[in-house]
Amino acid sequence: DVKVTQSSRYLVKRTGEKVFLECVQDMDHENMFWYRQDPGLGLRLIYFSYDVKMKEKGDIPEGYSVSREKKERFSLILESASTNQTSMYLCASSFSGTGTTEAFFGQGTRLTVV
Amino acid sequence: SQQGEEDPQALSIQEGENATMNCSYKTSINNLQWYRQNSGRGLVHLILIRSNEREKHSGRLRVTLDTSKKSSSLLITASRAADTASYFCAPRSSNTGKLIFGQGTTLQVKP
């Protein structure tokens, strides 16, 4: 079974802290994604990586950065957490190409910034 | 900008009825995928339809795709209370490879 593991299920951080959200997948997927999910807004893409050290901005990259030093790991970084970054964060991975490219999701990290 | 836009935003039906959800998108796609999310959990892949396919079935799920209208629909037949969840479509862009989700349709199936 494909597994996408997010490091924390729940996280509480203070305003101004640097926050790391980690995501690891075990299927040798090329693509990895970070989304945030807020009521009424659905899932919004923050960043996308299609290979090691490669990244593309999604729809809402402001206030976030990412790191992909190894194929299996994709980290989302909040440089200086703010209360408007309180949200559910979802990581996903998939193969690239035009074949079967279904995405597999982690269980999500519910981040609260106080 | 979100590529997958679902309609309706909320749907409430009785057990045994069929549920239809629609999705519209804006760009060229390789495929379109439907996902389900139970409350507070991650998303689970349901079905994928390629851009050269018009209809696909999987159990009680039927998906159609009309690339000329840039739209898709998901039909769940003979719904069950356990189908209560949010459903999202995710067109996969043929230009960027990104999966972009919309707001989803919240389905409630009453026993």
Side-chain angles (χ1 to χ4, degrees):
Chain A
D1 276 355
V2 173
K3 190 173 267 189
V4 179
T5 304
Q6 294 183 229
S7 53
S8 303
R9 189 89 170 89
Y10 299 94
L11 211 51
V12 180
K13 295 291 182 181
R14 296 196 179 278
T15 302
E17 276 193 75
K18 190 168 186 176
V19 181
F20 292 85
L21 302 184
E22 307 284 349
C23 176
V24 177
Q25 50 95 3
D26 65 359
M27 270 298 287
D28 204 34
H29 286 162
E30 295 88 6
N31 295 340
M32 295 190 76
F33 308 82
W34 274 107
Y35 298 89
R36 66 176 279 178
Q37 184 175 25
D38 301 285
L41 297 177
L43 275 77
R44 292 179 291 168
L45 182 64
I46 305 171
Y47 267 99
F48 161 54
S49 170
Y50 52 91
D51 203 348
V52 175
K53 296 190 189 292
M54 306 304 287
K55 61 186 179 185
E56 279 192 24
K57 293 180 181 179
D59 293 327
I60 51 163
E62 296 78 19
Y64 303 94
S65 62
V66 290
S67 171
R68 190 149 180 221
E69 296 296 317
K70 293 185 178 180
K71 194 173 186 179
E72 67 271 18
R73 186 180 296 269
F74 192 35
S75 303
L76 179 70
I77 303 154
L78 287 67
E79 296 290 342
S80 177
S82 64
T83 54
N84 63 13
Q85 291 178 310
T86 290
S87 185
M88 169 72 97
Y89 290 87
L90 293 164
C91 173
S93 70
S94 76
F95 286 116
S96 63
T98 56
T100 301
T101 55
E102 63 182 280
F104 295 85
F105 280 81
Q107 284 294 86
T109 296
R110 189 166 293 280
L111 172 67
T112 302
V113 182
V114 298
Chain B
S1 60
Q2 293 182 337
Q3 289 189 14
E5 298 292 338
E6 292 90 348
D7 171 61
Q9 290 192 7
L11 184 59
S12 181
I13 59 174
Q14 294 294 133
E15 209 165 25
E17 294 180 341
N18 296 341
T20 300
M21 290 159 259
N22 302 298
C23 169
S24 59
Y25 58 92
K26 295 178 182 175
T27 71
S28 302
I29 61 171
N30 284 330
N31 61 60
L32 186 141
Q33 304 174 32
W34 285 89
Y35 289 80
R36 165 195 169 124
Q37 183 182 36
N38 288 83
S39 180
R41 309 298 292 271
L43 277 71
V44 175
H45 180 262
L46 291 175
I47 193 166
L48 178 154
I49 186 165
R50 300 183 201 285
S51 58
N52 61 355
E53 296 177 313
R54 292 295 166 259
E55 188 171 313
K56 198 160 183 180
H57 296 253
S58 176
R60 292 184 296 112
L61 304 180
R62 174 177 165 254
V63 169
T64 62
L65 179 64
D66 186 335
T67 53
S68 66
K69 294 181 179 177
K70 290 186 164 50
S71 67
S72 173
S73 68
L74 171 68
L75 169 68
I76 304 174
T77 59
S79 63
R80 305 167 182 167
D83 294 328
T84 294
S86 293
Y87 293 83
F88 295 86
C89 75
R92 184 171 184 264
S93 169
S94 55
N95 297 325
T96 66
K98 295 177 186 177
L99 269 179
I100 305 291
F101 292 79
Q103 294 185 26
T105 293
T106 299
L107 172 66
Q108 183 185 27
V109 181
K110 299 175 186 174

